[in-house]
């Protein structure tokens, strides 16, 4: 069953035929949001195993089935309300709740299994090596926030017993989420971990009000104040400019605006923070390249047109798939499991766009012209000082960078495969996008983007830790271009001059698909002389 686009925008005399029709007409959902909902839920339909009552995992997962994605599917089914959809949703609630951890003495209390085949965490066969090992503490809020949508908007479709069961489960999950304290037992739950912190805030606010738990309601207020105070320092989220997690943050802020209790600070702070997110997105998005300029605190790839990102979902909901930074086909996309999330973004788009200016929307469709962007973001306790962010945006080339000083390598998330503090993107031709991303080996990096130039240096590098090197990953070549990469100077569609005090004889290796974030790339490495003293640097200049 699909939502008929013909119903959108017509007079109120047209009688809606399903809850999704009523949703689209009541909240003035755009045809783009409805198209995204239909496209993505049909993709989910294809992974449904009716015998198991779960979605089959589309990507990496501890098992054949994925509990989180299956939980997301339940409110989508209720919103569509086609033949058999409500019965499927009820099965999902029963199945996912049966995998909830109920021992209050454990750190994972109230969390849900990653996959229904998993043994209990903390056992000899499935040891507990801390969060994100045999259990994922973020699943509580990903499941919980999606089920807020289910109960708040579509609970009338469910039997009372199911509603009560889900409410009880969410209450346990929210109480378990209170076990999370940054720096305790290996937990990384700080306000700077933007996307789960924003989700936990509305989760506690809504569940507390729903079940009459004043402690949870108050927790939501405290969490809201914590992240707002941090955000207010620079009017940026700490998890800065992530093609995936900036999208999750915007969705969570839409939930603040849509579902928070009317007297809550979430209602006060949410619109301001979401409006700023739209404006930042408009500054850093290049509609010609259909990509966010760097730097990226967390990224799952080098070209948003090739992988499912959640900023891509946000933009699809505003301007349509054809113009959005999303793959134009489904089966071959990278990181495709996040497509399971898209229908929930579609349902929140009418709320999300209320804080979007016409200027920001126009920038998503048409590049506004060459400009520079500068800002700061701060992620305590990981940053020793706020990260300084610079970007240069031109019609066919973007350069982005951030200066950072931390104790560990890999950015605030301590993950080198996701952290890209210095990035150049450009149009190789009308279809292909090239990307040079700096692969981090240092925890202190001075990186600055200026018009036509990227400068990187290591102010605190020491050879005591091994050879000092600058590593650049070049990605973007696909088929039929007949190009043999020989280094950074002379790449297709981009003429660069490399200046450095590293050794001139760089090394280069090729890694095929299955490399970093599934993308293939060339690794071009400049290494400092062993006896070098001073500050290592590399400058890439467009000529």
């Amino acid at each position: 069953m699909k939502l008929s686009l013909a119903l959108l925008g017509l007079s109120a005399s047209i009688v809606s035929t399903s809850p999704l029709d009523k949703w689209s007409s009541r909240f003035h959902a755009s045809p783009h949001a409805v198209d995204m909902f239909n496209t993505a839920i049909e993709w989910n339909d294809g992974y449904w195993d009716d015998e198991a009552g779960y979605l089959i995992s589309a990507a990496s997962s501890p098992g054949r089935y994925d509990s989180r994605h299956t939980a997301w599917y339940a409110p989508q089914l209720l919103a569509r309300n086609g033949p058999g959809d409500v019965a499927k949703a009820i099965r999902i609630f029963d199945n996912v709740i049966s995998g909830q951890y109920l021992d209050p003495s454990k750190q994972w209390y109230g969390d849900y299994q990653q996959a229904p085949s998993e043994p209990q965490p903390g056992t000899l066969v499935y040891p507990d090596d801390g969060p994100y090992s045999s259990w994922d503490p973020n699943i509580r809020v990903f499941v919980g926030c999606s089920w807020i949508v289910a109960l708040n908007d579509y609970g009338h479709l469910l039997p009372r017993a199911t509603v009560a069961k889900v409410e009880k489960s969410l209450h346990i999950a929210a109480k378990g989420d209170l076990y999370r304290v940054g720096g305790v037992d290996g937990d990384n739950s700080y306000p700077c971990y933007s996307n789960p912190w924003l989700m936990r805030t509305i989760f506690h606010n809504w569940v507390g009000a729903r079940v009459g738990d004043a402690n949870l309601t108050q927790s939501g207020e405290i969490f809201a104040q914590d992240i707002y105070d941090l955000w207010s320092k620079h009017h940026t989220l700490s998890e800065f400019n992530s093609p995936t997690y900036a999208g999750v943050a915007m969705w969570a802020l839409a939930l603040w605006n849509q579902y928070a209790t009317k007297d809550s600070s979430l209602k006060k702070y949410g619109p301001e923070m979401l409006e700023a997110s739209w404006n930042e997105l408009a500054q850093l998005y290049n509609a010609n390249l259909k990509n966010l300029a760097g730097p990226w605190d967390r990224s799952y790839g080098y070209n948003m047109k090739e992988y499912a990102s959640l900023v891509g979902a946000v933009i699809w909901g505003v301007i349509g798939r054809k113009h959005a930074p999303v793959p134009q086909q489904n089966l071959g996309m990278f990181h495709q499991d996040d497509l399971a999330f898209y229908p929930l973004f579609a349902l929140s788009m009418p709320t999300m766009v209320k804080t979007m200016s016409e200027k920001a929307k126009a920038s998503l469709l048409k590049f506004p012209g060459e400009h520079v962007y500068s800002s700061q973001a701060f992620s305590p306790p990981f940053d020793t000082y706020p990260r300084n962010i610079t970007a240069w945006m031109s019609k066919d080339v973007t350069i982005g960078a951030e200066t950072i000083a931390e104790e560990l390598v890999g950015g605030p998330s301590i993950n080198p495969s996701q952290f890209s503090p210095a990035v150049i993107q450009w149009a190789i031709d009308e279809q292909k996008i090239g990307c040079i991303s700096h692969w981090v080996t240092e925890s202190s990096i001075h990186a600055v983007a200026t018009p036509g130039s990227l400068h990187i240096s290591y102010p605190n590098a020491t050879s005591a830790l091994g050879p000092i090197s600058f590593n650049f990953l070049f990605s973007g070549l696909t088929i039929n271009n007949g190009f043999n990469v020989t280094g950074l100077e002379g790449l297709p569609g981009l003429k660069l001059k490399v200046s450095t005090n590293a050794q001139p004889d760089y090394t280069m290796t090729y890694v095929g698909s299955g490399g970093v974030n599934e993308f293939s790339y060339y690794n071009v490495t400049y290494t400092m002389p062993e006896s070098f003293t001073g500050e290592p640097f590399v400058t890439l200049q467009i000529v």
Side-chain angles (χ1 to χ4, degrees), residues 131-472:
Y132 313 103
S133 58
S134 54
W135 57 288
D136 182 345
N138 289 338
I139 290 182
R140 292 186 189 99
V141 291
F142 274 111
V143 172
C145 285
S146 68
W147 285 4
I148 288 174
V149 178
L151 290 192
N152 195 90
D153 296 352
Y154 308 107
H156 61 281
L157 299 176
L158 299 169
R160 290 183 180 179
T162 298
V163 171
K165 186 174 188 177
V166 176
E167 287 176 343
K168 180 180 179 181
S169 175
L170 294 182
H171 192 196
I172 293 170
K175 288 189 293 184
D177 183 67
L178 288 175
Y179 286 30
R180 301 195 67 185
V181 179
V184 177
D185 295 327
D187 204 296
N188 64 339
S189 185
Y190 298 95
C192 69
Y193 193 8
S194 305
N195 81 90
W197 195 275
L198 290 166
M199 286 190 287
R200 78 185 310 208
T201 300
I202 180 60
F203 184 42
H204 285 255
N205 171 272
W206 189 91
V207 172
R210 179 81 172 200
V211 303
D213 187 331
N215 185 50
L216 289 181
T217 304
Q218 182 61 23
S219 295
E221 295 303 307
I222 293 170
F223 296 153
Q225 194 64 52
D226 286 344
I227 196 167
Y228 182 76
D229 288 346
L230 179 58
W231 176 86
S232 295
K233 293 180 184 296
H234 307 292
H235 291 82
T236 57
L237 291 170
S238 301
E239 207 169 19
F240 179 79
N241 198 37
S242 163
T244 289
Y245 294 106
V248 179
M250 293 179 73
W251 178 70
L253 286 169
L255 299 186
W256 282 32
N257 297 348
Q258 191 168 359
Y259 298 113
T261 53
K262 65 179 181 180
D263 59 343
S264 169
S265 60
L266 281 71
K267 288 286 192 186
K268 175 183 177 182
Y269 299 148
E272 180 185 1
M273 296 172 73
L274 187 53
E275 180 181 11
S277 296
W278 280 119
N279 292 338
E280 179 184 283
L281 175 60
Q283 286 285 307
L284 289 166
Y285 181 68
N286 187 313
N288 292 335
L289 301 180
K290 292 185 179 179
N291 269 272
L292 277 178
W296 309 311
D297 276 351
R298 297 182 68 189
S299 176
Y300 288 117
Y302 307 120
N303 181 0
M304 294 170 69
K305 296 196 296 181
E306 295 182 2
Y307 73 100
S309 72
L310 296 174
V311 167
V314 169
I315 297 176
W316 180 348
V318 176
I319 63 174
R321 185 177 192 176
K322 178 180 177 182
H323 302 289
V326 294
Q328 298 302 304
Q329 45 74 42
N330 295 339
L331 295 180
M333 72 176 70
F334 295 140
H335 207 70
Q336 60 180 268
D337 52 324
D338 272 352
L339 195 66
F341 208 169
Y342 278 39
L344 287 170
F345 277 65
L347 293 175
S348 290
M349 285 309 302
T351 298
M352 201 180 295
V353 298
K354 287 180 180 178
T355 57
M356 184 186 196
S357 68
E358 287 301 318
K359 181 179 179 181
K361 181 177 180 180
S363 294
L364 300 182
L365 278 168
K366 183 179 180 181
F367 180 65
E370 182 177 342
H371 61 276
V372 295
Y373 173 90
S374 63
S375 187
Q376 290 182 301
F378 190 33
S379 295
F382 305 103
D383 289 336
T384 58
Y385 58 77
R387 305 190 303 284
N388 293 308
I389 296 155
T390 51
W392 171 67
M393 311 284 294
S394 71
K395 178 177 179 291
D396 295 319
V397 185
T398 66
I399 304 175
E402 63 182 324
T403 293
I404 186 168
E406 297 182 333
E407 295 296 325
L408 300 174
V409 173
S413 66
I414 316 176
N415 192 331
S417 69
Q418 296 179 6
F419 183 49
S420 297
V423 179
I424 300 176
Q425 280 187 305
W426 72 98
I428 292 178
D429 55 33
E430 292 184 357
Q431 287 79 37
K432 301 182 186 68
I433 301 299
C435 177
I436 299 170
S437 176
H438 174 49
W439 175 269
V440 295
T441 56
E442 299 287 330
S443 61
S444 182
I445 302 168
H446 181 76
V448 179
T450 56
S453 178
L454 172 63
H455 178 80
I456 305 171
S457 64
Y458 299 152
N460 299 314
T462 171
S463 58
L465 300 176
I468 301 170
S469 64
F470 293 90
N471 297 265
F472 296 96

